[in-house]
Amino acid sequence: MERVNSLTELNKLSQKFREFVEARKSSTENDNVLSRHILVCQGTGCKSSDSDSIMHKLIENIEKVGLSDSVKVVMTGCFGFCAKGPIVHILPDNTFYVQVNPEDAEDIVNMHLLKGEVVNRLLYDEPTLNKKVCTQDEMSFYKKQSRIALRNCGFINPEDIREYIASDGYKALGKVLTTMKPDEVINEIIESGLRGRGGGGFPTGTKWSFARAYESDDKYIICNADEGDPGAFMDRSILEGDPHSVVEAMAIAGYAIGAQKGFVYIRAEYPLAIHRLKIAIAQAKEYGLLGNNLFGTNFNFDIEIKYGAGAFVCGEETALIHSVEGCRGEPTNKPPFPAEKGLWNKPTCVNNVETLANIPKIIIEGASWFNKLGTDKSKGTKVFALAGKINNVGLVEVPMGITLREIIYEIGGGIKDGKKIKAVQTGGPSGGCIPESLLDVPIDYDSLTNIGSMMGSGGMIVMDEDNCMVDIAKFYMEFIVDESCGKCTPCRVGSKRLLEILTKITEGKATMMDLKRLEVLAETIKDTALCGLGQTAANPVLSTMKYFMDEYEAHIKEKRCPAGQCKPLLSYEITDKCVGCTKCSRSCPVEAIKGKVKEKHVIIKDKCIKCGACFNACPVKAIVMG
């Protein structure tokens, strides 16, 4: 083990470790490299689809044909294209195989490695070209992406510090410790225009400057890896695919504000991220990149992991701090802000995973490089987790200012089954539902806020014509009610009242007066709740009322759910198209359908539980939903 005592020594190590990643460069840059690296996604999604077995089978078959000396199988983090995992990427050939099974390993070795023939059935079928494509560059999913926070995910082995160092890892830390003063580091981040990627979008450099300004014997850096939004997996994927970027950034932040201790607050439901983070911290200590006298200076910095129990409210920084202290995760009034009195009443800076992952690259490339990306007030890129009714579910990183339409249709591949889009939810439970008519609004902090949503941590859930927007608002309010810490009355009581009114609407029991109460109560909670969770809790309600009022009115006035999702308002009728095939009656779990063979059947309304089994079973579409 070689301890790094200077930036010169790190540069020598980086050059020495180039062999670990050299073969992954394109063949045009690397003509003398004869070896191949087979990168296998080992993120949570692909591991759940047996990518471990794929790796083992590849290694087994490579050994069998005697290629062990020239072919290396490498585990990596998430490639982002989760809809088509497990993924195997062969470099420097740049052949991108999707939906690989363990049984495919033999063909990859025998055909691709031995014979030089592409395994055509494993290539991605690119819909925009109407043909299979071989390389990542040809795939529309990647064409508009700009990877900064995700730069190493899917490229390096996250459990091997040598690969991170070979990819310029820890050079930013060495640079700031040996050539920059703390104020210069902070000014660089301010000049970059980087804003917090965890929700509010507060300028990162400004937050650091506040924490630095306060005098104290002890200061702390906290990495918020709680990530509680439904459908969000950005931070998890970064920690699984590139944990050293966060470790390095925390040390840089510590130097900037004068802190010698950092904590990563991560939900216990992220076992793989925790496992790789532990490995990264241990390896950094072994190389002298964490601990005492980093890079031969008098700067000391260490990191400890703290586990959260999955409370959404602990994404709010004061609640998170209380949880780290071992107290109940409840927010407190601000000011004082954590920069003045945070962890154990000491100056504390809280940044989320994605924010920190940008820091080393900004230090290496410079603020002007970063702030050329994005818009005037929202610089750089943003990572989004695409989920819901979209073809290309996955993780994407795009420049700020790109439109929702570009993400959904050009990167996300459009809506499943050719259906029409109805809305996009951004910002998680704290965000809003954006209608199709606003998909051309540029994605930046201010634009999303202006239309009743927010950037949030980066969850993006797509909804189609079959989604009921009243039911969606109810779903998010159920989540808020469950996750409210209960400290303040507007959130504790108000959110429950919102849920009760929404439930009445979806059951067809509400009046137009209830709709007015819903709006007034939502606005009141927004204005009076204690923390960010409560203040934004009503966003899904207010945004759906603003853009989809016709659906609310249909539920109340017509006792009808236009999307056919609210069961109490559903009814099924068998029309004269019925041919008496009996499939509907045989599919009914409660025997609510009567009729003889080759005769029209009838639904007994009192017995019908509105499960929709008959509707789905009818081969001639004789059953209509009202």
Side-chain angles (χ1 to χ4, degrees), residues 380-559:
T381 60
K382 180 71 188 79
V383 180
F384 289 99
L386 291 180
K389 307 288 188 66
I390 193 166
N391 284 311
N392 296 339
V393 171
L395 205 64
V396 303
E397 184 172 3
V398 293
M400 294 280 198
I402 194 172
T403 65
L404 285 166
R405 193 178 300 278
E406 288 175 278
I407 292 180
I408 292 165
Y409 287 98
E410 296 183 37
I411 298 174
I415 311 304
K416 281 185 176 180
D417 303 321
K419 295 196 174 182
K420 294 180 180 179
I421 187 171
K422 180 179 281 189
V424 183
Q425 167 84 3
T426 66
S430 301
C433 294
I434 303 167
E436 191 274 339
S437 60
L438 294 176
L439 291 187
D440 293 313
V441 169
I443 295 175
D444 59 56
Y445 291 98
D446 299 323
S447 295
L448 289 178
T449 301
N450 290 339
I451 59 175
S453 189
M454 63 185 294
M455 185 79 72
S457 59
M460 186 176 288
I461 299 177
V462 179
M463 289 161 266
D464 69 10
E465 56 195 280
D466 293 336
N467 285 108
C468 169
M469 301 314 295
V470 184
D471 189 55
I472 290 293
K474 178 187 168 190
F475 165 80
Y476 282 112
M477 196 49 57
E478 287 172 339
F479 180 86
I480 293 295
V481 168
D482 284 343
E483 295 294 337
S484 173
C485 73
K487 184 173 183 178
C488 75
T489 303
C491 186
R492 182 184 70 250
V493 179
S495 62
K496 195 166 185 178
R497 296 292 89 82
L498 286 178
L499 177 58
E500 288 171 355
I501 296 172
L502 288 168
T503 301
K504 282 180 70 177
I505 295 172
T506 58
E507 292 177 348
K509 299 176 181 178
T511 65
M512 291 303 290
M513 184 58 70
D514 288 312
L515 197 58
K516 183 61 178 176
R517 291 192 185 102
L518 184 70
E519 184 176 14
V520 171
L521 181 55
E523 291 286 0
T524 302
I525 295 170
K526 183 178 180 180
D527 293 338
T528 59
L530 172 63
C531 78
L533 184 150
Q535 291 161 10
T536 58
N539 278 355
V541 176
L542 292 171
S543 63
T544 51
M545 290 184 72
K546 180 177 181 179
Y547 298 117
F548 303 97
M549 181 58 81
D550 57 324
E551 293 198 27
Y552 280 89
E553 292 179 348
H555 283 70
I556 296 171
K557 295 179 179 179
E558 303 171 32
K559 309 302 179 187

Side-chain angles (χ1 to χ4, degrees), residues 195-213:
R195 295 172 65 172
R197 300 306 198 234
F202 192 81
T204 303
T206 303
K207 180 182 276 192
W208 288 12
S209 69
F210 290 161
R212 176 160 182 77

Side-chain angles (χ1 to χ4, degrees), residues 365-383:
E365 301 292 343
S368 59
W369 165 81
F370 186 81
N371 63 32
K372 286 177 184 176
L373 293 167
T375 65
D376 287 343
K377 295 183 179 180
S378 299
K379 302 295 185 181
T381 60
K382 180 71 188 79
V383 180

